[in-house]
Amino acid sequence: MVDSIAFPVSALWAAARLARDRGDDGLVGELVALLEASVKEPVQRALLDPARNGTPGAVLPFRGDALDVLGLAAWLSTHTTGSGRGTRADRRYYSQLSAVEAGYFEIRGSRGTTVYVDRTGQRTALTRADRHRLANASPPRPVEVLAPDAISSALEALRRIEVSPARVSIPEEGDALLEIQWGKGSLLVPRRKEVPIEFSLVRRDGASRALVTRRMPGLLLRARSRQVWGVIAPPERVMEVHAAAMAGQGFQIGYGTEQACVIATIDFTAVGPQGLARCSTGALLDPVFGTFSGEPEHIRVPLELARRLTAVYRWLTPASLADLLVLVDPSASPSPVSPTS
């Protein structure tokens, strides 16, 4: 039986930020505990402790938002090291007091080595690999992470999704299997008027785990208007999808490299609205923390809290979109969270 669901760090950080804005201290506390538990000792020592203590003795001390500092520490702790460039200053997290090129945590290379720079012209220790790479190529321009403007834009986009989420409906007529009405100002609307999609069946197994069971080729996402898009399927796929829906399976739609949505169970015999399409937020939230070489490990959230979070936040999605079926499928719990709530 499923007892927890994995979520991206960026999503849990954003949920905590929005809960704090709403004054929900209880939910903030639960999310902070999860993020705190994920922070590894080297990141605690190099980033979290000095940031919380104001970097004592620094010429230009660090001052930053407590949730942002914790989110970054959890982000660095839950990513495996990759083979990216070992540059001297890939990313910088600036103090709120910084008005010059100083007062920032320098997050270096694919391993996320962190050093605080408190004065202009300060030289930080370089590894042998760093020296070799810097001797053979110009370092890229540093990227600011958790920049105030980036945070504000991302959180505002999530608030827009809350007000106007993507919705699914069964059309009365036409060639569309189903239609998706993107929310107002949605960032997920495809740039072309027709795009091929990966359409997959999602079901729960005997242990109540959700998994993608079959991918169906040959389906398209086609614009009806700027906001309304139809899923177009060949006749043989339509029959398979209807049969899967009658068996209680959900559906996952993917297009591009980062865009994906999951639709909970659908009744194709009922024309009209069918609930929400829950979409991935990685393309929106991950840039706030900067690119990172390696694979995220995510944070596991107890099932009861995961259900509450997805009920509160209509934008929130697990690391595996298929797990949404566990969270919103009415048959998964005697007290279900409805996808339309």
Side-chain angles (χ1 to χ4, degrees):
M1 187 71 179
V2 175
D3 59 1
S4 63
I5 301 289
F7 282 83
V9 170
S10 58
L12 297 178
W13 162 80
R17 269 296 219 121
L18 293 174
R20 187 180 66 184
D21 292 348
R22 212 173 52 246
D24 191 343
D25 294 339
L27 185 56
V28 172
E30 291 181 276
L31 290 166
V32 164
L34 288 170
L35 293 169
E36 290 266 15
S38 74
V39 177
K40 294 179 180 176
E41 196 276 333
V43 179
Q44 179 90 31
R45 186 176 63 250
L47 172 65
L48 196 53
D49 288 343
R52 284 175 167 173
N53 296 330
T55 53
V59 174
L60 181 58
F62 180 85
R63 180 182 297 165
D65 183 279
L67 280 180
D68 295 347
V69 172
L70 178 57
L72 181 58
W75 172 271
L76 292 173
S77 296
T78 56
H79 281 69
T80 58
T81 56
S83 57
R85 298 166 297 186
T87 58
R88 186 179 176 208
D90 279 349
R91 288 154 291 160
R92 291 177 178 178
Y93 178 35
Y94 282 90
S95 168
Q96 293 172 352
L97 302 175
S98 179
V100 295
E101 288 301 301
Y104 59 84
F105 283 96
E106 178 182 284
I107 305 165
R108 187 186 308 143
S110 63
R111 295 184 181 276
T113 304
T114 305
V115 178
Y116 188 67
V117 178
D118 69 336
R119 61 182 71 88
T120 58
Q122 176 180 338
R123 296 181 64 84
T124 58
L126 301 179
T127 66
R128 181 179 297 178
D130 288 333
R131 289 195 296 270
H132 175 76
R133 291 183 176 88
L134 288 171
N136 289 278
S138 298
R141 186 175 180 178
V143 174
E144 183 178 357
V145 302
L146 287 161
D149 287 349
I151 292 173
S152 178
S153 295
L155 296 183
E156 183 55 36
L158 296 180
R159 292 187 186 99
R160 287 201 304 270
I161 296 173
E162 278 298 303
V163 173
S164 183
R167 298 185 179 276
V168 180
S169 64
I170 304 301
E172 266 189 65
E173 55 186 19
D175 58 348
L177 175 68
L178 54 89
E179 289 181 343
I180 298 176
Q181 180 172 355
W182 299 112
K184 201 172 192 179
S186 173
L187 301 178
L188 294 170
V189 179
R191 295 182 180 179
R192 292 181 288 142
K193 292 186 177 180
E194 184 175 285
V195 292
I197 57 175
E198 290 186 0
F199 192 90
S200 306
L201 304 181
V202 182
R203 68 171 177 83
R204 291 168 54 235
D205 66 10
S208 293
R209 295 171 299 188
L211 61 155
V212 173
T213 57
R214 180 151 135 54
R215 289 179 171 83
M216 294 185 172
L219 279 76
L220 301 171
L221 194 59
R222 182 180 296 163
R224 293 286 193 256
S225 66
R226 178 169 175 77
Q227 297 299 125
V228 179
W229 291 65
V231 174
I232 310 301
E236 65 274 15
R237 299 296 179 209
V238 171
M239 295 177 64
E240 290 181 76
V241 171
H242 283 195
M246 290 179 66
Q249 297 194 41
F251 308 99
Q252 181 169 311
I253 296 172
Y255 56 97
T257 56
E258 299 290 340
Q259 318 284 42
C261 297
V262 158
I263 302 164
T265 49
I266 292 177
D267 179 4
F268 282 98
T269 66
V271 172
Q274 291 281 323
L276 303 183
R278 300 267 188 160
C279 302
S280 57
T281 54
L284 175 65
L285 290 174
D286 289 352
V288 173
F289 292 87
T291 57
F292 196 94
S293 178
E295 292 298 323
E297 296 170 352
H298 308 302
I299 294 177
R300 298 205 69 84
V301 176
L303 186 59
E304 185 273 333
L305 175 57
R307 286 203 172 113
R308 278 194 284 126
L309 286 170
T310 50
V312 170
Y313 299 115
R314 295 192 287 189
W315 55 265
L316 188 65
T317 54
S320 169
L321 286 176
D323 280 338
L324 273 170
L325 201 62
V326 172
L327 299 176
V328 302
D329 183 356
S331 66
S333 169
S335 301
V337 174
S338 168
T340 57
S341 62

